[in-house]
Amino acid sequence: MDHLPLPSDPILPLSEVPYLCNEPYDTTIPFLEYPRHKGRPWMTREAPYEYHEALFPTPTRDLESFFQTWLCFGLLAELLAGLFDHERFVSKSKRDGSPVISTMQLQSLTEQRFELVRTLDKPT
C-alpha cells in the first residue's frame, strides 16, 4: 500500500503486494454481479459455496486471482468510476521486476473523483 506514508529508513524491507490477476477487471459488469458473470455464482448467495467447493474445489491460485480482480480492482473501479484505469495500479517490483499492485495514484484520483461528485451536487 504505497499510498500510505512510509518510513524513510525502514529496518525491514517494505512489503509489496504481488499482482495475481489473470485478466483486468471488466468495468462493464456491475460489481455485485461479477462472480456470476465470471462463472462463480456460489461466491454470492445464488448457490451455496460450501457445497460447490466440496465437490469442485477451486485451486488456491485461481481463488487469489479472482478475489484480487473482483475485490481489489472492482472496488477501485466502483470508487473511481470513469477515472479508473487498471494499468495505473500495476507497477514493477523494485526487487525483482515482477508485477505488483501500486496505489501511488490512489489519493490524487480519489480527490479528482470527489471533486467531480461535488460539482454534480451543485445546482446550476
Side-chain angles (χ1 to χ4, degrees), residues 63-82:
L63 281 177
E64 292 171 342
S65 172
F66 174 78
F67 284 131
Q68 188 178 82
T69 303
W70 180 35
L71 299 176
C72 176
F73 289 97
L75 286 173
L76 287 170
E78 289 290 312
L79 169 71
L80 300 173

Side-chain angles (χ1 to χ4, degrees), residues 35-49 52:
R36 184 172 51 81
H37 282 275
K38 292 299 179 177
R40 299 173 190 266
W42 59 93
M43 301 267 175
T44 63
R45 294 184 180 216
E46 292 180 32
Y49 177 77
H52 185 278

Side-chain angles (χ1 to χ4, degrees), residues 80 82-83 109-121:
L80 300 173
L83 297 174
L109 288 170
T110 304
E111 289 170 0
Q112 288 175 40
R113 176 69 176 142
F114 288 158
E115 190 56 41
L116 286 170
V117 170
R118 274 190 217 108
T119 60
L120 294 175
D121 291 341

Side-chain angles (χ1 to χ4, degrees), residues 1-2 4-8 14:
M1 295 298 149
D2 46 7
L4 300 172
L6 299 173
S8 58
L14 300 174

